[in-house]
Amino acid sequence: MRTPGRQDGDEAELIERSRKGDSAAFGVLVERYQRRVVGVAQAVVHNQDDAIELAQETFVRAYENLSKFESRSSFSTWLYRIAANLAIDFWRREGRHVVLHGEDAETEIGKLPTAQGDSFKEVSRSELSARLKQALEELTPEHRAVILLREVEGMSYDEISDVLQCPRGTVMSRLHYARTHLRKILKDVSGS
Amino acid sequence: MAECGEISVMLGAFEDSELEPNEMQEVAFHLARCESCTGILADYSTLGRNLRSISVEPKLAGFSSAVIARVERLPQPAHIRIARFFRRQMDSLGAGLAWGGAVAAAAVLTIILMTPYAEQFARKGAGSGTSVADATHEAVPAPNQIASSSGNEPTMADNDSQAVISRLESPNRSVAVWSEPRRDTTVIWLPDQP
C-alpha cells in the first residue's frame, strides 16, 4: 500500500521537464503519485468522489506552482501537503464538523469512558465495517487524517507531521485521541 | 512499575514503533505484567486491520488523462509558450531538412545512374555534327596554349579508334592540331612531306 517517495535523477528530470511545460512528463508523475494523493485527500474528507476531485485539483495546483517547489523536501511530501491542505479547506468550507484543536481535543479524550477488557472480535464483519465508517465520520478531519494516514497509508509520524504541517507531538496526541475514540465506539457496538 | 495511565498514552506509538528506545523498553516491561494494557494494544492492532480492510481502492481509470487535459488548458507562461514555439519550429525544420536531404540524395543517384547514357547521347550528337572543323574558320590560340587548355574542350571516347576531332586548332591547312583533354594530350598532325 505504501509508495516510497522517489528523489532519484529520473524524478528530478521529470520535474524539470514539467516545469518547461512538458505535460507528458508531468503525466508520469501523476501516474506515480495519484493513488496516494487520493488516499491523503480521502483520509481527510472521507468520501472517494470528493477525494478524487481534490486529488485532481492537487495535481493542477502542483503543476501551476512547480516553479516554487524546492528540492529541500521530497516531491511526494510536497504533493501530499497540497492535497491535505485542499482537503482540510474543503472540509471546513463544507462546514460538516466543528474542528477541535490542541487542548480542546485533549479535553474530549478525557470525556471518553475508558473501555477495557473485551475485544471486539465477535462483532459481525458488516456491522463492524458500518460502525467503523460512521465512527470515522464522527472524527474531526484532523483526527481522521492522522489515523488513516498512519493505518491505511502507512506513513510514519514524521511524514504525517510534514504533510499536515503540525508538530510530531500533535500527531501523537491526535492519534491517541482517534484510537481511543474509535476503540470506545467499537466497544459499544460489541457490548450491545 | 509505571502506571497504566502513563503507559496508555504511549501504547499507540508503541504499536507503531515510534517511541524512543527507552520508552519502548518501559512499555514492553509494563505490558509483560498488565493484561488491561495488553488488551488495549490488541484492540489497536485489530482497529488498524479493520481500518485497512474497509478502505476501498480508488477508481483511477482516466484520472491522469483528466489531470493532463486540465493542465493543458491552463494558460502557459510566456517563456513556456516561446520555448514550445521554437521547439515546433525546430521540429518542422528538422522534417524539412530530412526531406531536402532525401531529394538531394535521389538527385545525386539519378545523375550517377544517368551519366553514361547522357555521355553516349552527347557523343552521338557531337558525332553527327562536326567531326572535323574547318581550321581556317576558327580563331585558335597558339599551340603552346592549346596544350594546357581545358574548359570547353571536345570530348573523346576512351577508345582511340572512336576519337572525334571536334576542332582543328591551327590556321595552317597543312597542319592539324587537336587536343584531347581527358588524356591531357595535344596531337599535331603533319602530312608527309613530298
Side-chain angles (χ1 to χ4, degrees):
Chain A
M1 188 73 79
R2 194 169 171 182
T3 311
R6 292 186 226 177
Q7 277 294 287
D8 49 24
D10 165 49
E11 182 161 290
E13 190 195 326
L14 288 170
I15 293 167
E16 196 49 44
R17 280 169 52 198
S18 304
R19 275 188 181 134
K20 290 175 183 167
D22 183 345
S23 55
F26 191 67
V28 177
L29 293 169
V30 173
E31 291 278 351
R32 190 174 285 182
Y33 293 113
Q34 58 186 9
R35 209 221 61 78
R36 215 169 183 203
V37 168
V38 172
V40 170
Q42 196 169 353
V44 178
V45 298
H46 204 230
N47 175 298
Q48 196 171 97
D49 292 337
D50 290 342
I52 289 175
E53 284 287 317
L54 287 163
Q56 278 197 15
E57 186 61 28
T58 298
F59 282 111
V60 172
R61 296 273 181 101
Y63 185 81
E64 286 177 312
N65 292 287
L66 270 176
S67 58
K68 294 177 192 164
F69 169 66
E70 295 169 1
S71 302
R72 278 180 295 187
S73 68
S74 78
F75 181 69
S76 56
T77 301
W78 185 67
L79 271 180
Y80 304 151
R81 202 178 290 163
I82 296 171
N85 284 336
L86 283 173
I88 289 170
D89 287 349
F90 173 84
W91 186 265
R92 286 179 181 155
R93 209 168 48 242
E94 293 291 305
R96 294 184 208 170
H97 277 75
V98 177
V99 179
L100 299 176
H101 292 285
E103 286 183 9
D104 292 342
E106 294 301 321
T107 309
E108 285 296 307
I109 296 172
K111 290 179 189 169
L112 293 170
T114 52
Q116 294 184 343
D118 299 333
S119 67
F120 34 74
K121 285 173 194 160
E122 296 82 15
V123 180
S124 76
R125 194 101 201 119
S126 59
E127 188 185 354
L128 184 73
S129 171
R131 191 66 191 96
L132 197 51
K133 283 177 184 169
Q134 190 187 336
L136 282 168
E137 279 287 325
E138 290 164 7
L139 288 174
T140 64
E142 284 88 351
H143 290 95
R144 185 171 49 247
V146 166
I147 187 109
L148 291 180
L149 290 179
R150 173 62 218 166
E151 297 290 3
V152 179
E153 298 301 324
M155 288 187 181
S156 70
Y157 287 12
D158 287 334
E159 281 180 289
I160 297 170
S161 163
D162 270 350
V163 170
L164 298 180
Q165 296 167 85
C166 61
R168 186 184 151 91
T170 305
V171 172
M172 289 179 78
S173 65
R174 283 180 184 171
L175 260 176
H176 177 62
Y177 172 82
R179 278 176 167 143
T180 309
H181 184 75
L182 292 175
R183 179 171 175 266
K184 189 254 168 204
I185 287 168
L186 294 172
K187 280 287 185 191
D188 291 348
V189 173
S190 62
S192 63
Chain B
M1 190 170 112
E3 294 295 317
C4 288
E6 294 171 46
I7 295 298
S8 66
V9 294
M10 294 196 281
L11 284 175
F14 178 82
E15 168 78 2
D16 298 331
S17 304
E18 292 271 5
L19 291 174
E20 295 298 322
N22 62 319
E23 293 171 323
M24 292 291 286
Q25 196 177 32
E26 189 182 354
V27 175
F29 277 133
H30 180 87
L31 289 171
R33 293 172 181 81
C34 180
E35 279 187 26
S36 166
C37 288
T38 306
I40 295 172
L41 188 67
D43 286 352
Y44 285 171
S45 180
T46 310
L47 176 64
R49 278 199 303 278
N50 285 326
L51 285 171
R52 283 187 287 279
S53 74
I54 63 164
S55 76
V56 180
E57 198 65 21
K59 297 181 185 94
L60 294 173
F63 179 88
S64 62
S65 50
V67 171
I68 296 306
R70 281 186 66 181
V71 158
E72 286 179 341
R73 283 199 300 270
L74 292 173
Q76 298 290 338
H79 71 278
I80 289 177
R81 285 204 307 271
I82 292 167
R84 276 187 176 172
F85 171 78
F86 279 110
R87 207 177 305 140
R88 274 198 298 271
Q89 296 304 312
M90 289 305 288
D91 288 347
S92 306
L93 185 64
L97 285 174
W99 273 107
V103 168
V108 167
L109 192 63
T110 306
I111 289 167
I112 290 169
L113 291 173
M114 296 303 291
T115 298
Y117 300 104
E119 280 182 351
Q120 208 171 4
F121 179 77
R123 216 181 297 128
K124 277 182 185 170
S128 64
T130 307
S131 59
V132 178
D134 188 346
T136 55
H137 298 156
E138 294 284 331
V140 182
N144 62 342
Q145 290 173 311
I146 294 165
S148 62
S149 68
S150 60
N152 295 328
E153 292 299 328
T155 58
M156 186 173 186
D158 291 336
N159 189 339
D160 285 346
S161 63
Q162 294 179 354
V164 174
I165 302 166
S166 63
R167 197 173 73 174
L168 292 177
E169 297 179 346
S170 169
N172 191 335
R173 279 179 176 275
S174 61
V175 177
V177 179
W178 71 92
S179 62
E180 208 298 310
R182 282 192 181 181
R183 300 195 175 181
D184 201 18
T185 305
T186 300
V187 178
I188 300 169
W189 179 83
L190 296 170
D192 290 336
Q193 293 301 315

